[in-house]
Amino acid sequence: MGDNAWTGQRLQRGELATLFGALMLTVFLAALDQTIVGTALPTIVGDLNGMSEYTWVVTAYLIATAASTPLYGKLSDLYGRRPIILMAIAIFLAASALAGISQTMLQLILFRGLQGLGAGGLMTLAFTIVSDVLPPRERGKYQGLFGAVFAVASVAGPVLGGWLAEVDWRWIFYINLPTGLVALVAVNSVLRRHPVPTRQHKIDYLGAGLLVPAVVCLLLAVTWGGKEYAWSSPVIVSLLAAAGVLAVVFVWAETRASEPILPLHMFRQGTFTLATVIALVFGIAMFAGIVYIPLFFQMVRGYTPTQSGLLMLPMMSGIVLSSIASGFFISRVGRYKWFLVAGSVITTIGLILFTQLHLDTPLWQSSTYMLVLGLGMGLFMQPLVLAMQNIVTMADLGVATSTNTFARTLGGAIGTSILGAVMNATLDTELTANLPAALARLSPEEAAGFSTDDLAAITQSPTAIAALPDPIRSVVQHAFTDGLDDVFLVAACITATCIVLTLLLPNLTLHGDEHRRDDPETAAHEIRADTSP
């Protein structure tokens, strides 16, 4: 085993603390920016007179993040972590400053896309750098803290975004600058003294040129499908066809590239392929907890975005507790499989519990449901990263980590489409069936000033719902509750498939200093030999 020993950079305790603190800040920046803008978006588009381009502020960021994530992993494997993560942070900060001074919706959309290009590298490279300085056996307790950071950002984003929208929405972007600069200085300081070895390289320009448009076409299709355009429309069909053709050509090109953007040999290992599928599937279901629980609090219960963010604290607490605890336990026992299985089971139970939400559900009950869901999500997220990192060679560590992030991001985009379609279908059905009877109960004065022709206007915001006459408001709230029940049921079915998939994973041991997977043949032999339950 001597030639296969882990040879990453061992840091002193103080240097490790400095580096890890800086990496947590970079993860916080990326996670916060996914949630902080949504709450303030109505204020922003109102100020910039861009309601018709509303969705592009989010879509541009999402597409740029997902398309660039796989590239960062490979570039950092070739050129080293330090210059690439510094580039990602610098792009993100420059784009944040530019977004803050935007004067038109077009400018904001372009700068949000540029922000996404930077954000694509922040989370991926943070996980990868931890893997450079710690052997797999010790990574769990540190990467578990990343899950806690993600949870804090998920709850803090809506709260902070709602408050800053009332003060000055531009500070939603400016707030990134001081935090990002601290992270930039700290990461540069530590990694300059402890550079990650690089190797001879040749850029796979053809692979990159095929991968990025394939991802863009797919994300545009799942983002627009059923909303901007019908699924059967020529636009959506063409986008899906283009994504499929580009993906096939990309795979062909990667088999012939000397330095492929996505080394296909990683997928010959069943564990890596299975873990990638699990990340994609779990990303679809995870969207339900992050997006639709706040929707219940705002649309059904009438809370403000800031209040709904605070009400998400039980879920955040669950993610923090289970992320940290599972990280330490994984480092102690050296195995991760049963944490993934338990996380899938508990997440599924949490989503099933949410199908029992009603208009009069007490807060203690919904808080309990959120705690259960958070515990399951926290058990799941970081062990899956370890599973993918543990199976590949050190040379492919960066691209393996970025593959996990990319799969989860792509799953989130697909989840937006699937769960959104479920929600809209139930909402339309319930409103169409029940609004006429409710309208008949209105007084002549109320009925004269009310129209059911535009269902979107009735359900566009908590304020609009609160202003409805009592009979109409009751119908709308119950329609949202029924729609959310269906959303959580579908999400629970999706996470139930994760239970099966995680049970299929081999129960591998995380390797310590004495094991390094530099030789694929040796790695494959060790994996086959280490599948005990």
Side-chain angles (χ1 to χ4, degrees):
M1 292 286 181
D3 291 338
N4 295 320
W6 180 83
T7 58
Q9 295 288 324
R10 273 284 187 187
L11 302 184
Q12 299 296 323
R13 183 178 297 273
E15 290 179 320
L16 184 61
T18 300
L19 177 62
F20 194 75
L23 294 178
M24 288 178 71
L25 285 178
T26 63
V27 170
F28 182 77
L29 284 174
L32 183 69
D33 221 59
Q34 294 176 357
T35 57
I36 193 173
V37 174
T39 308
L41 205 49
T43 302
I44 296 173
V45 298
D47 188 41
L48 297 179
N49 298 315
M51 184 58 68
S52 60
E53 293 89 21
Y54 185 98
T55 58
W56 272 105
V57 178
V58 176
T59 302
Y61 183 88
L62 177 66
I63 289 174
T65 300
S68 62
T69 294
L71 305 182
Y72 276 108
K74 187 62 178 180
L75 289 173
S76 71
D77 284 338
L78 297 178
Y79 293 106
R81 315 295 186 219
R82 175 173 164 264
I84 303 302
I85 193 172
L86 294 181
M87 179 183 72
I89 296 174
I91 292 173
F92 185 83
L93 294 182
S96 296
L98 291 170
I101 61 175
S102 298
Q103 300 300 312
T104 66
M105 280 296 290
L106 177 60
Q107 291 176 0
L108 180 62
I109 291 167
L110 292 175
F111 296 145
R112 281 287 287 167
L114 188 60
Q115 255 192 319
L117 288 177
L122 297 185
M123 199 171 297
T124 291
L125 294 176
F127 287 133
T128 306
I129 290 170
V130 169
S131 305
D132 290 326
V133 299
L134 291 170
R137 185 66 178 262
E138 297 180 24
R139 291 174 199 161
K141 56 187 177 183
Y142 289 94
Q143 290 192 347
L145 292 175
F146 282 132
V149 171
F150 183 82
V152 172
S154 297
V155 176
V159 176
L160 192 58
W163 177 67
L164 289 175
E166 298 174 4
V167 178
D168 184 350
W169 63 262
R170 297 181 185 277
W171 279 98
I172 288 173
F173 303 106
Y174 294 150
I175 198 172
N176 293 329
L177 301 180
T179 306
L181 287 172
V182 171
L184 188 74
V185 172
V187 169
N188 179 60
S189 174
V190 176
L191 293 186
R192 185 174 55 191
R193 294 194 298 273
H194 299 274
V196 176
T198 57
R199 53 196 170 89
Q200 294 296 318
H201 52 77
K202 183 178 180 181
I203 299 299
D204 179 19
Y205 292 107
L206 177 59
L210 291 167
L211 177 62
V212 172
V215 173
V216 169
C217 288
L218 178 60
L219 288 180
L220 284 176
V222 299
T223 301
W224 286 344
K227 303 179 187 70
E228 303 291 332
Y229 303 95
W231 282 105
S232 59
S233 68
V235 173
I236 300 301
V237 171
S238 298
L239 285 171
L240 290 174
V245 171
L246 288 168
V248 170
V249 179
F250 169 74
V251 171
W252 172 84
E254 294 303 90
T255 61
R256 288 157 175 77
S258 58
E259 289 283 356
I261 289 290
L262 185 63
L264 299 181
H265 65 78
M266 296 189 303
F267 293 96
R268 298 191 190 112
Q269 300 175 17
T271 300
F272 185 87
T273 302
L274 186 55
T276 303
V277 174
I278 293 171
L280 177 71
V281 174
F282 193 77
I284 297 173
M286 189 174 68
F287 181 84
I290 294 175
V291 172
Y292 284 100
I293 294 175
L295 191 67
F296 170 77
F297 286 128
Q298 293 181 45
M299 295 299 195
V300 177
R301 301 299 294 270
Y303 292 108
T304 66
T306 303
Q307 290 171 331
S308 69
L310 291 173
L311 289 170
M312 295 284 286
L313 285 174
M315 190 172 83
M316 180 196 74
S317 301
I319 295 176
V320 170
L321 288 173
S322 59
S323 292
I324 295 174
S326 64
F328 277 92
F329 276 112
I330 288 172
S331 293
R332 181 178 295 273
V333 303
R335 292 176 184 259
Y336 54 80
K337 172 179 176 175
W338 295 108
F339 292 91
L340 289 169
V341 174
S344 302
V345 171
I346 296 173
T347 300
T348 302
I349 292 172
L351 290 169
I352 291 173
L353 289 173
F354 269 104
T355 65
Q356 306 304 307
L357 287 179
H358 303 291
L359 185 60
D360 56 353
T361 299
L363 282 178
W364 69 264
Q365 193 170 335
S366 59
S367 296
T368 303
Y369 296 168
M370 281 190 287
L371 179 62
V372 173
L373 184 60
L375 289 171
M377 291 170 65
L379 280 173
F380 195 93
M381 291 188 290
Q382 304 317 312
L384 191 60
V385 178
L386 291 174
M388 297 181 74
Q389 292 177 336
N390 191 55
I391 207 73
V392 301
T393 66
M394 288 290 287
D396 292 327
L397 191 59
V399 72
T401 308
S402 66
T403 300
N404 173 272
T405 305
F406 171 71
R408 193 172 63 243
T409 302
L410 187 60
I414 296 173
T416 303
S417 177
I418 294 175
L419 300 179
V422 171
M423 180 73 197
N424 291 333
T426 304
L427 197 61
D428 290 347
T429 300
E430 293 294 319
L431 292 178
T432 301
N434 298 316
L435 275 178
L439 185 60
R441 295 198 297 271
L442 297 180
S443 67
E445 293 78 12
E446 291 175 321
F450 182 79
S451 172
T452 60
D453 293 338
D454 188 1
L455 297 181
I458 299 173
T459 59
Q460 67 180 348
S461 69
T463 304
I465 294 174
L468 295 172
D470 289 342
I472 304 296
R473 183 170 65 250
S474 178
V475 168
V476 171
Q477 289 172 329
H478 281 92
F480 266 103
T481 301
D482 291 343
L484 290 169
D485 286 347
D486 290 345
V487 164
F488 291 123
L489 181 60
V490 171
C493 292
I494 293 171
T495 54
T497 64
C498 284
I499 300 175
V500 178
L501 294 173
T502 52
L503 284 170
L504 295 174
L505 285 169
N507 193 21
L508 302 182
T509 299
L510 291 172
H511 296 277
D513 285 0
E514 74 280 5
H515 293 88
R516 182 188 178 194
R517 300 282 173 89
D518 272 340
D519 176 28
E521 293 299 323
T522 302
H525 174 75
E526 292 176 11
I527 292 163
R528 288 193 295 269
D530 190 8
T531 56
S532 56

